Amino acid sequence: MRVHRISARPELTQIGPFVVLGISVGFGLYVLHGETAVVAYLNDQAFHRGVVQLASTLLRSGHDPLSAWYPLLNLGSPEFLHYQSLPAIITGAAGIVAGVTHVFAWSSYLLLATWPISTFFGARLLGWSRWTAAAVACASPLIMSAAGHGYDYG
């Protein structure tokens, strides 16, 4: 008669990749904590913050943001109809409660810091192993463009 042992702890191969992912996200949360400061943005975040401010203002006054004209870019355009408007509308709605500048800064911070989670699950969707996906998650914050724009820590 065989006796099977039941292990109380999961195998390293099961939980290890998630520990690596957690370390990567924790590192991002620590290193990028300065992103929560409210500053004047000099890149395309200035545009995105303006769209969020407009969405918040329109929602606060009871207007539909999807029918709004955004006048602050070139000659103006119906940004909410021709661009990705759902994130701006959700952030604008949260900005009604907590203030647009703080919600925008914190959402940018959390999106950057949790970027490895997206790359981990993206690698898993491609059929890669957990450990390979964990390695991808660890390497994802190191992505850098030649011009220094994008997800760069610099």
Side-chain angles (χ1 to χ4, degrees):
M1 180 169 166
R2 284 182 112 174
V3 176
H4 296 284
R5 289 187 184 202
I6 299 174
S7 177
R9 60 182 188 166
E11 293 181 21
L12 180 63
T13 58
Q14 297 293 321
I15 199 167
F18 294 105
V19 171
V20 171
L21 176 63
I23 290 170
S24 181
V25 170
F27 177 77
L29 289 170
Y30 176 74
V31 169
L32 297 170
H33 72 278
E35 292 290 322
T36 59
V38 177
V39 297
Y41 298 107
L42 301 176
N43 54 17
D44 62 340
Q45 279 187 306
F47 163 74
H48 293 293
R49 194 211 169 281
V51 172
V52 168
Q53 181 65 54
L54 178 61
S56 182
T57 302
L58 291 169
L59 289 170
R60 186 179 291 120
S61 63
H63 295 292
D64 179 18
L66 295 176
S67 64
W69 182 265
Y70 184 74
L72 301 177
L73 182 66
N74 297 330
L75 295 175
S77 67
E79 284 299 317
F80 294 103
L81 286 177
H82 297 290
Y83 196 63
Q84 302 149 349
S85 58
L86 186 60
I89 293 171
I90 291 172
T91 308
I96 293 172
V97 177
V100 171
T101 54
H102 294 291
V103 170
F104 187 80
W106 273 90
S107 65
S108 297
Y109 164 65
L110 291 174
L111 286 169
L112 280 172
T114 59
W115 171 251
I117 295 172
S118 299
T119 58
F120 177 86
F121 287 110
R124 292 294 292 149
L125 284 173
L126 290 172
W128 297 355
S129 72
R130 286 188 178 119
W131 282 106
T132 304
V136 167
C138 280
S140 66
L142 304 175
I143 294 172
M144 182 174 242
S145 64
H149 299 292
Y151 295 112
D152 314 349
Y153 281 170

